[in-house]
Coordinates of all heavy atoms in Angstrom, one line a residue:
I1 N -38.4 -0.1 -16.2 CA -37.1 0.5 -15.8 C -36.0 -0.5 -15.9 O -34.8 -0.1 -16.3 CB -37.3 1.0 -14.3 CG1 -38.2 2.2 -14.3 CG2 -36.0 1.4 -13.8 CD1 -38.6 2.6 -12.8
G2 N -36.3 -1.8 -15.6 CA -35.2 -2.8 -15.7 C -34.8 -3.0 -17.1 O -33.6 -3.2 -17.4
Y3 N -35.7 -2.8 -18.1 CA -35.3 -2.8 -19.5 C -34.5 -1.6 -19.9 O -33.4 -1.7 -20.5 CB -36.5 -2.8 -20.4 CG -37.1 -4.2 -20.5 CD1 -38.4 -4.5 -19.9 CD2 -36.5 -5.3 -21.2 CE1 -39.0 -5.6 -19.9 CE2 -37.1 -6.5 -21.2 CZ -38.4 -6.8 -20.6 OH -39.0 -8.0 -20.7
L4 N -34.9 -0.4 -19.3 CA -34.3 0.9 -19.8 C -32.8 1.0 -19.2 O -32.0 1.5 -19.9 CB -35.1 2.0 -19.3 CG -36.5 2.2 -20.1 CD1 -37.2 3.3 -19.4 CD2 -36.3 2.6 -21.5
V5 N -32.6 0.6 -18.0 CA -31.3 0.8 -17.3 C -30.3 -0.4 -17.6 O -29.2 -0.2 -17.2 CB -31.5 1.0 -15.8 CG1 -32.5 2.1 -15.6 CG2 -31.9 -0.3 -15.1
G6 N -30.8 -1.5 -18.2 CA -29.9 -2.6 -18.4 C -28.6 -2.3 -19.0 O -27.5 -2.7 -18.5
A7 N -28.7 -1.6 -20.1 CA -27.4 -1.2 -20.9 C -26.5 -0.4 -20.2 O -25.3 -0.6 -20.1 CB -27.8 -0.6 -22.2
E8 N -27.0 0.6 -19.4 CA -26.2 1.5 -18.7 C -25.6 0.8 -17.4 O -24.4 1.1 -17.1 CB -27.0 2.7 -18.1 CG -26.3 3.8 -17.4 CD -25.2 4.5 -18.3 OE1 -25.3 4.4 -19.5 OE2 -24.3 5.0 -17.7
V9 N -26.3 -0.1 -16.8 CA -25.7 -0.8 -15.7 C -24.6 -1.7 -16.2 O -23.5 -1.8 -15.6 CB -26.8 -1.7 -15.1 CG1 -26.1 -2.8 -14.1 CG2 -27.8 -0.9 -14.3
E10 N -24.7 -2.4 -17.4 CA -23.8 -3.2 -17.9 C -22.5 -2.4 -18.3 O -21.4 -2.8 -18.1 CB -24.3 -4.0 -19.1 CG -23.3 -5.0 -19.7 CD -22.9 -6.1 -18.8 OE1 -23.4 -6.2 -17.7 OE2 -22.1 -7.0 -19.2
R11 N -22.7 -1.2 -18.9 CA -21.6 -0.3 -19.3 C -20.8 0.1 -18.1 O -19.6 0.0 -18.1 CB -22.1 0.9 -20.1 CG -21.0 1.9 -20.5 CD -21.6 3.3 -20.6 NE -22.1 3.9 -19.4 CZ -21.3 4.3 -18.4 NH1 -20.0 4.3 -18.5 NH2 -21.9 4.8 -17.4
A12 N -21.6 0.6 -17.0 CA -20.8 1.0 -15.9 C -20.1 -0.2 -15.2 O -19.0 0.1 -14.7 CB -21.9 1.6 -14.9
R13 N -20.6 -1.4 -15.2 CA -20.1 -2.5 -14.6 C -18.7 -2.8 -15.3 O -17.7 -3.1 -14.7 CB -20.9 -3.7 -14.6 CG -20.4 -5.0 -13.9 CD -21.2 -6.2 -14.1 NE -21.2 -6.7 -15.5 CZ -20.2 -7.4 -15.9 NH1 -19.2 -7.8 -15.3 NH2 -20.2 -7.8 -17.2
L14 N -18.7 -2.9 -16.7 CA -17.5 -3.1 -17.5 C -16.5 -2.0 -17.2 O -15.3 -2.4 -17.1 CB -17.9 -3.3 -18.9 CG -18.8 -4.5 -19.2 CD1 -19.2 -4.4 -20.7 CD2 -18.0 -5.8 -19.0
E15 N -16.9 -0.8 -17.2 CA -15.9 0.3 -16.9 C -15.3 0.1 -15.5 O -14.1 0.3 -15.3 CB -16.7 1.6 -17.1 CG -16.9 2.0 -18.5 CD -17.3 3.5 -18.6 OE1 -17.4 4.2 -17.5 OE2 -17.6 3.9 -19.7
N16 N -16.1 -0.3 -14.6 CA -15.6 -0.5 -13.2 C -14.6 -1.6 -13.2 O -13.6 -1.5 -12.6 CB -16.7 -0.7 -12.2 CG -16.4 -0.8 -10.8 OD1 -15.8 0.2 -10.3 ND2 -16.6 -1.9 -10.2
E17 N -14.9 -2.7 -13.9 CA -14.1 -3.8 -14.0 C -12.7 -3.4 -14.6 O -11.7 -3.8 -14.2 CB -14.6 -5.0 -14.8 CG -15.5 -5.9 -14.0 CD -16.0 -7.1 -14.8 OE1 -15.5 -7.3 -15.9 OE2 -16.8 -7.9 -14.3
N18 N -12.8 -2.7 -15.7 CA -11.6 -2.2 -16.4 C -10.7 -1.3 -15.5 O -9.5 -1.5 -15.5 CB -12.0 -1.5 -17.7 CG -12.5 -2.4 -18.8 OD1 -12.3 -3.6 -18.8 ND2 -13.3 -1.8 -19.6
A19 N -11.4 -0.5 -14.7 CA -10.7 0.4 -13.8 C -10.0 -0.4 -12.8 O -8.8 -0.1 -12.4 CB -11.6 1.4 -13.2
Q20 N -10.7 -1.4 -12.2 CA -10.1 -2.2 -11.2 C -8.9 -3.0 -11.8 O -7.9 -3.2 -11.1 CB -11.1 -3.2 -10.6 CG -12.1 -2.5 -9.8 CD -13.2 -3.5 -9.2 OE1 -13.4 -4.6 -9.7 NE2 -13.9 -3.1 -8.2
L21 N -9.1 -3.5 -13.0 CA -8.0 -4.3 -13.6 C -6.8 -3.4 -13.8 O -5.7 -3.8 -13.6 CB -8.5 -4.9 -15.0 CG -7.5 -5.7 -15.8 CD1 -7.0 -6.9 -15.0 CD2 -8.0 -6.1 -17.1
A22 N -7.0 -2.2 -14.4 CA -5.9 -1.2 -14.5 C -5.2 -1.0 -13.2 O -4.0 -0.9 -13.1 CB -6.4 0.0 -15.2
G23 N -6.0 -0.8 -12.1 CA -5.4 -0.5 -10.8 C -4.6 -1.7 -10.3 O -3.5 -1.5 -9.7
R24 N -5.1 -2.9 -10.5 CA -4.3 -4.1 -10.2 C -3.0 -4.3 -10.9 O -2.0 -4.6 -10.4 CB -5.2 -5.4 -10.3 CG -6.3 -5.5 -9.3 CD -6.8 -6.9 -9.3 NE -7.5 -7.3 -10.5 CZ -8.8 -7.1 -10.7 NH1 -9.5 -6.6 -9.7 NH2 -9.4 -7.4 -11.8
L25 N -3.1 -3.9 -12.3 CA -1.8 -4.0 -13.0 C -0.8 -3.0 -12.6 O 0.4 -3.2 -12.5 CB -2.2 -3.7 -14.5 CG -3.0 -4.8 -15.3 CD1 -3.4 -4.4 -16.7 CD2 -2.1 -6.1 -15.3
E26 N -1.3 -1.7 -12.3 CA -0.4 -0.7 -11.8 C 0.3 -1.1 -10.5 O 1.4 -0.9 -10.2 CB -1.1 0.6 -11.6 CG -1.4 1.3 -13.0 CD -0.2 1.7 -13.8 OE1 0.7 2.1 -13.2 OE2 -0.2 1.4 -15.0

């Protein structure tokens, strides 16, 4: 499961970071 979900966790983390960054910029 750790192998299977790794890419999705990383994608969601990066999207979350981008959303937070956009929020801070606004």
Side-chain angles (χ1 to χ4, degrees):
I1 292 173
Y3 283 110
L4 291 173
V5 304
E8 184 63 19
V9 169
E10 182 66 0
R11 178 202 65 77
R13 184 188 69 81
L14 291 173
E15 285 190 0
N16 187 58
E17 276 189 5
N18 290 336
Q20 290 180 342
L21 179 60
R24 286 196 294 269
L25 289 173
E26 288 301 315

